Amino acid sequence: QVQLVESGGGLVQAGGSLRLSCAASGRTFSSYAMGWFRQAPGKEREFVGVISWSGDSTAYADSVKDRFTISRDNAKNTVYLQMNSLKPEDTAVYYCALERPGTRWYSLHPTSYAYWGQGTQVTVSS
């Protein structure tokens, strides 16, 4: 069993930055890719980005490319989402997720992820 806990959300002005963290329990964390998703009110959960188990590969949604960066520290069982140049449309609840065993690199679909955190709210004011 894996538990994921996000932190670091909050209120920020447009153009500002936030760094989200996702702490994982369980020995399997370092063996799997980790994704970040977000969900705004009234919208479906959408893919933000993903990092491979080793941290050597990442992929991002076009909407956040060149603004957001995902990294991980397997020694600390933690994955990070650095968000720069934030826009009001980035406002959402952000979730980290651990991929299902056997998932090919990489998946944008929430169904490809087996474990989810509870989410952390990010609000960007204009």
Side-chain angles (χ1 to χ4, degrees), residues 27-117:
R27 294 178 294 175
T28 60
F29 171 81
S30 61
S31 300
Y32 297 99
M34 292 291 298
W36 282 96
F37 289 77
R38 66 187 182 186
Q39 188 166 17
K43 295 188 177 181
E44 292 186 352
R45 192 165 297 190
E46 67 170 348
F47 172 80
V48 172
V50 62
I51 187 167
S52 62
W53 68 270
S54 64
D56 289 343
S57 298
T58 54
Y60 300 93
D62 288 343
S63 59
V64 306
K65 200 173 293 183
D66 299 326
R67 299 189 297 123
F68 290 11
T69 302
I70 300 174
S71 60
R72 67 190 296 166
D73 185 339
N74 285 343
K76 295 183 178 180
N77 275 15
T78 302
V79 63
Y80 305 97
L81 178 65
Q82 177 67 44
M83 304 185 294
N84 299 327
S85 303
L86 282 161
K87 305 175 181 180
E89 51 264 43
D90 294 318
T91 295
V93 177
Y94 283 71
Y95 300 89
C96 63
L98 185 144
E99 72 170 358
R100 294 187 184 279
T103 300
R104 296 183 64 180
W105 177 257
Y106 61 91
S107 176
L108 288 69
H109 302 290
T111 55
S112 296
Y113 295 81
Y115 297 97
W116 293 81

